[in-house]
Amino acid sequence: MAKMWAGRFSKEVDETVNAFNSSISFDGRMYQQDIRGSIAHATMLGTCGIIPKADAEKIINGLKEILADLDSGALLMDPTAEDIHMFIEAELTKRIGDAGKRLHTARSRNDQVALDVRLILRDEITEIRKLLHALLNTLVSLAEQHTETIMPGYTHLQRAQPVTLAHHILAYVWMLLRDDGRLSDTAKRMNYCPLGAGALAGTTYPIDRKQTASLLDFTAPVPNSLDAVSDRDFCIELANALSLLMVHLSRFSEEIILWCSWEFKFIELDDAYATGSSIMPQKKNPDVTELIRGKTGRVIGDLTTLLSMLKGLPLAYNKDMQEDKEAIFDAIDQAKLCLKTFDPMLATMRVNKDRMRAAAAQGFINATDCADYLVKKGLPFRDAYKITGTLVAQCISEGLTLETLPLESYKAACEQFSDDVYEAIALETCLNGRISEGGPSAAAVREQLAAAKAQIAELGA
Ligand code: ARG
């Protein structure tokens, strides 16, 4: 494709440099946003009398036709074009002649690309949030089904204290709600319009930046022309929000991987969401979750790419910034893929309540409650803790649990024990006694569920 800036040059650009320089293979994805931005710009140029109204109309109609042809596939992008902005402008001039050449008045590709990226990220955030809201709804309905499903809570991956599956799932609901909040904040903060910043120093034309900002549904124009074309903090904020979201999905995935191992057998994935081995006939592998865990590293890598790309750049535009798109688009695409697969995988998994309960019934998960029993009988917690520790050691050496340890052994360790200890250390007692706000008892979880549901409803999910 002939270069628009060819006038300044006496030679064609080297073919390798041309391919190296070109971004259309990845910024072509922004064609709808580019055209939308150009329509707003042309409208403003027309109403401000910077170009004739008739030309503005021709431009707008021409752009709409190009949009329709790109949408339908009637027009294909030229892979040798420098970028999507040049391609569309050249196509417009090819179609409508001189009027097309007036479109770029009072504009630079620097404010144009800063606009297009904001527009597409805004659209993508809306889509990602929809997927996230669907996942939140799936998690809440799973939690509702499992307020009585007792399982071990872990620290150091050692059985620690009893919780329920509902409580465990709700922990992720709150994390994902914060992720949603970060995405929404990011969208709000990036919602300022860079159009009219020109290459870096505004323009001498009597443009109306407020008009383009409002035509494109922005809160207001970016207040400083240098800032408008120089920063990519909005890409970084989004990559950061997506990295955290992925980290949350990855931790959950790691647990799913453990839970469907034969060692745990807490859950079984539906056949549609698991894969087999090419050699070992017995295998049913949780590939989806492993890929989510793996892709999390990739999204964190995208964030690192963006941070490192920006950190040494002097104001204003530098070509390094063209590298923003592949990184942020990749982070978006990977996060969307993960959300789309994780949700139905969770919705269809089978929960093995008996295995969860059995795991909670072993491993001295009630040892804290045994100590608390003595505290209620008047002992200081540290003494109660020590006595219970010796009982646990005794159980381990005799192959018993606190539930099966005879009363004489309890009494030998401390006079305060009587036969109500068995009731005090029963799993249900241990669980339902944890009534503190945010705790795992059925009553506390029901309150938590109601609060989570109210927050999700507010999102319009
Ligand atoms: N393709 C370029 C990018 O993505 C568009 C902006 C080019 N501006 C320039 N001054 N060369 O960053």
Side-chain angles (χ1 to χ4, degrees):
M1 201 173 112
K3 293 275 177 277
M4 292 192 185
W5 36 258
R8 157 87 173 75
F9 290 77
S10 52
K11 258 190 190 175
E12 292 268 308
V13 172
D14 175 84
E15 230 175 83
T16 323
V17 170
N18 201 34
F20 184 61
N21 204 31
S22 169
S23 54
I24 195 157
S25 61
F26 48 87
D27 66 19
R29 171 176 175 152
M30 308 192 296
Y31 77 89
Q32 291 173 334
Q33 288 77 12
D34 192 74
I35 290 175
R36 192 176 167 206
S38 289
I39 289 175
H41 181 64
T43 307
M44 183 278 291
L45 292 177
T47 51
C48 294
I50 297 167
I51 63 170
K53 272 233 156 70
D55 280 352
E57 260 161 48
K58 268 194 204 159
I59 291 173
I60 293 165
N61 291 334
L63 286 169
K64 284 183 179 161
E65 279 168 23
I66 293 174
L67 176 63
D69 290 350
L70 282 169
D71 278 345
S72 71
L75 173 64
L76 295 178
M77 284 178 213
D78 175 359
T80 68
E82 191 172 323
D83 54 34
I84 188 63
H85 325 294
M86 294 291 212
F87 171 71
I88 290 175
E89 193 187 328
E91 181 65 26
L92 182 70
T93 302
K94 203 156 89 188
R95 291 185 183 202
I96 66 167
D98 277 356
K101 296 187 200 159
R102 298 193 196 280
L103 169 62
H104 212 53
T105 315
R107 187 176 71 168
S108 154
R109 271 185 302 158
N110 296 351
D111 56 348
Q112 189 176 358
V113 73
L115 170 74
D116 292 3
V117 178
R118 279 173 171 85
L119 287 175
I120 198 167
L121 296 196
R122 206 170 67 175
D123 293 346
E124 293 285 8
I125 290 175
T126 307
E127 258 200 64
I128 294 168
R129 289 188 67 203
K130 269 192 213 146
L131 294 170
L132 186 53
H133 296 169
L135 173 62
L136 280 165
N137 280 324
T138 299
L139 291 177
V140 161
S141 81
L142 267 172
E144 272 172 331
Q145 293 162 42
H146 291 287
T147 52
E148 313 284 333
T149 307
I150 300 181
M151 64 178 279
Y154 296 84
T155 61
H156 314 274
L157 205 52
Q158 307 277 323
R159 291 168 190 164
Q161 291 178 347
V163 295
T164 60
L165 182 57
H167 192 54
H168 197 107
I169 287 174
L170 280 167
Y172 285 106
V173 167
W174 295 111
M175 294 180 217
L176 297 177
L177 274 168
R178 289 194 295 279
D179 289 325
D180 186 68
R182 270 184 284 273
L183 288 168
S184 145
D185 288 349
T186 302
K188 268 187 222 137
R189 228 185 327 276
M190 78 167 65
N191 203 34
Y192 290 82
C193 186
L195 262 192
L200 73 162
T203 174
T204 54
Y205 294 97
I207 57 169
D208 180 355
R209 292 193 63 203
K210 290 194 177 60
Q211 188 188 344
T212 37
S214 99
L215 283 172
L216 295 165
D217 296 321
F218 283 104
T219 310
V222 176
N224 178 301
S225 65
L226 284 168
D227 176 36
V229 292
S230 296
D231 210 352
R232 293 292 182 270
D233 57 351
F234 53 96
C235 297
I236 293 173
E237 267 198 76
L238 177 55
N240 179 64
L242 293 176
S243 295
L244 273 169
L245 166 65
M246 289 296 298
V247 164
H248 291 148
L249 298 184
S250 179
R251 293 186 73 178
F252 203 167
S253 292
E254 167 63 14
E255 295 194 317
I256 301 283
I257 293 163
L258 286 171
W259 292 355
C260 60
S261 71
W262 280 58
E263 283 71 14
F264 277 77
K265 277 197 184 161
F266 282 4
I267 56 160
E268 193 185 341
L269 295 179
D270 190 83
D271 282 0
Y273 294 94
T275 48
S277 155
S278 60
I279 175 170
M280 297 167 282
Q282 83 280 17
K283 291 301 276 296
K284 182 167 172 185
N285 296 329
D287 283 16
V288 165
T289 40
E290 289 171 20
L291 265 175
I292 293 175
R293 200 175 53 183
K295 283 176 186 295
T296 301
R298 179 168 165 178
V299 173
I300 294 169
D302 292 327
L303 170 63
T304 310
T305 298
L306 290 164
L307 286 165
S308 338
M309 178 273 286
L310 203 59
K311 79 175 184 59
L313 297 188
L315 302 188
Y317 179 85
N318 300 269
K319 189 77 170 190
D320 317 44
M321 289 156 84
Q322 180 165 288
E323 293 288 312
D324 61 355
K325 283 170 276 302
E326 280 165 296
I328 193 61
F329 292 163
D330 183 64
I332 289 168
D333 292 343
Q334 298 313 315
K336 277 162 61 178
L337 278 174
C338 291
L339 287 166
K340 276 186 203 161
T341 350
F342 198 52
D343 183 350
M345 188 205 72
L346 289 177
T348 53
M349 73 185 183
R350 277 178 297 284
V351 174
N352 192 340
K353 293 184 191 183
D354 294 342
R355 288 280 304 185
M356 284 191 172
R357 205 201 138 80
Q362 296 151 11
F364 306 99
I365 213 160
N366 46 7
T368 317
D369 300 81
C370 183
D372 287 342
Y373 167 91
L374 290 178
V375 169
K376 281 174 201 146
K377 301 258 168 171
L379 267 75
F381 179 75
R382 274 292 157 239
D383 294 341
Y385 172 94
K386 196 170 166 200
I387 293 163
T388 308
T390 60
L391 289 172
V392 167
Q394 187 181 346
C395 287
I396 291 170
S397 75
E398 292 174 14
L400 298 169
T401 64
L402 288 175
E403 290 94 326
T404 54
L405 186 72
L407 189 57
E408 308 84 77
S409 306
Y410 276 108
K411 285 234 184 253
C414 176
E415 264 309 304
Q416 304 287 338
F417 278 117
S418 59
D419 61 2
D420 58 354
V421 67
Y422 297 104
E423 172 57 26
I425 60 164
L427 210 46
E428 270 75 15
T429 319
C430 300
L431 183 79
N432 287 320
R434 295 188 145 68
I435 49 166
S436 50
E437 188 179 333
S441 73
V445 166
R446 269 195 296 276
E447 277 182 31
Q448 220 195 119
L449 250 172
K453 279 168 83 173
Q455 265 207 34
I456 294 168
E458 262 176 47
L459 306 172

